[in-house]
Amino acid sequence: MVVKVYGPAFACPKRVLACLIEKEVEFEAVPLDFLKGEHKDPEFLKLQPFGTVPVTQDGDYVLYESRAIMRYYAEKYKSQGTDLLGKTIEERGQVENWVEVEAHNFNPPIFNLTLHVMFSSKLGFPRDENVIKESEEKLGKVLDIYEERLSKSKYLAGDFFSLADLTHLPFTQYLVGPIGKEHMITSRKHVNAWWNDISNRPSWQKVLQLYDAPL
Ligand SMILES: N[C@@H](CCC(=O)N[C@@H](CS(=O)(=O)O)C(=O)NCC(=O)O)C(=O)O
């Protein structure tokens, strides 16, 4: 069954797309036009009551929350493609540790930077320079911890690429691109080497080639 992925041009769906490509799982992208409010359409809300993307539809099996979707397909297709979960329970623990770090420590400041730098004018709310300044400071502290971690291991969960690294791709791509804060990565030697490694993976390059900016 081909997996339908709703909202492919947006950041969170892109972590799902990268995961599916790494796992060699065929998918069908279903674009949604946010400016027309298609993500708030009653039919879509039946799939995803919170009205956000991604949603995946795999026959009758529907999931949302990008990190949950990644874990599901990484597990379901464990025997094919790139192993994204580690080979032992201890490695799996490290993968989960750093997926959660991304969700709870990395994502909040970078999400605020994305909203205020990239989307405030398009979505019609005021760009708040204080939020941008505070978010950059918070993100800098997080990246300092990453720098320490990555001085000891090539990837966040250890010496293997995993969901822990993959989950960082979409918003870090914004950071070094449209947000214009590449220095936050390039100024940290080990973070920079890590970013160059993971962002040049064929899976991520394919996602960027297929789906341009969302708005
Ligand atoms: N925790 C969710 C967040 C999903 C989310 O907020 N998606 C954004 C788009 S993006 O952040 O991926 O670019 C969205 O649908 N926003 C629409 C809205 O918030 O109304 C996940 O990881 O799937």
Side-chain angles (χ1 to χ4, degrees), residues 10-13 15 34 39-40 51-54 65-67 111 171:
F10 292 89
C12 294
R15 64 166 64 97
F34 274 27
H39 58 309
K40 306 301 182 189
T52 65
V53 292
E65 285 301 331
S66 59
R67 300 171 188 84
F111 190 78
F171 285 95

Side-chain angles (χ1 to χ4, degrees), residues 199-212:
S199 61
N200 281 296
R201 289 183 73 90
S203 62
W204 184 242
Q205 291 300 312
K206 181 78 177 166
V207 172
L208 294 178
Q209 177 206 337
L210 285 171
Y211 304 106
D212 206 344

Side-chain angles (χ1 to χ4, degrees), residues 179-199:
I179 293 176
K181 295 183 183 297
E182 186 174 16
H183 67 277
M184 296 189 78
I185 300 295
T186 56
S187 62
R188 294 172 171 89
K189 177 186 161 194
H190 296 97
V191 168
N192 191 47
W194 169 73
W195 171 246
N196 288 333
D197 180 290
I198 67 171
S199 61

Side-chain angles (χ1 to χ4, degrees), residues 108-120:
I110 205 161
F111 190 78
N112 277 333
L113 282 172
T114 302
L115 280 183
H116 284 269
V117 175
M118 286 179 66
F119 295 128
S120 53

Side-chain angles (χ1 to χ4, degrees), residues 119-192:
F119 295 128
S120 53
S121 57
K122 286 174 184 158
L123 296 178
F125 65 86
R127 176 185 165 118
D128 187 329
E129 295 302 335
N130 288 330
V131 169
I132 292 170
K133 183 172 180 297
E134 281 165 18
S135 299
E136 184 169 350
E137 286 166 2
K138 281 180 187 166
L139 183 61
K141 290 186 173 73
V142 172
L143 288 173
D144 287 342
I145 292 169
Y146 281 37
E147 179 66 12
E148 169 63 23
R149 170 67 179 177
L150 293 165
S151 71
K152 297 186 172 69
S153 66
K154 185 176 180 183
Y155 299 102
L156 287 170
D159 61 0
F160 60 103
F161 176 77
S162 75
L163 289 184
D165 310 294
L166 187 153
T167 191
H168 287 86
L169 287 165
F171 285 95
T172 310
Q173 191 69 48
Y174 281 164
L175 186 71
V176 303
I179 293 176
K181 295 183 183 297
E182 186 174 16
H183 67 277
M184 296 189 78
I185 300 295
T186 56
S187 62
R188 294 172 171 89
K189 177 186 161 194
H190 296 97
V191 168
N192 191 47

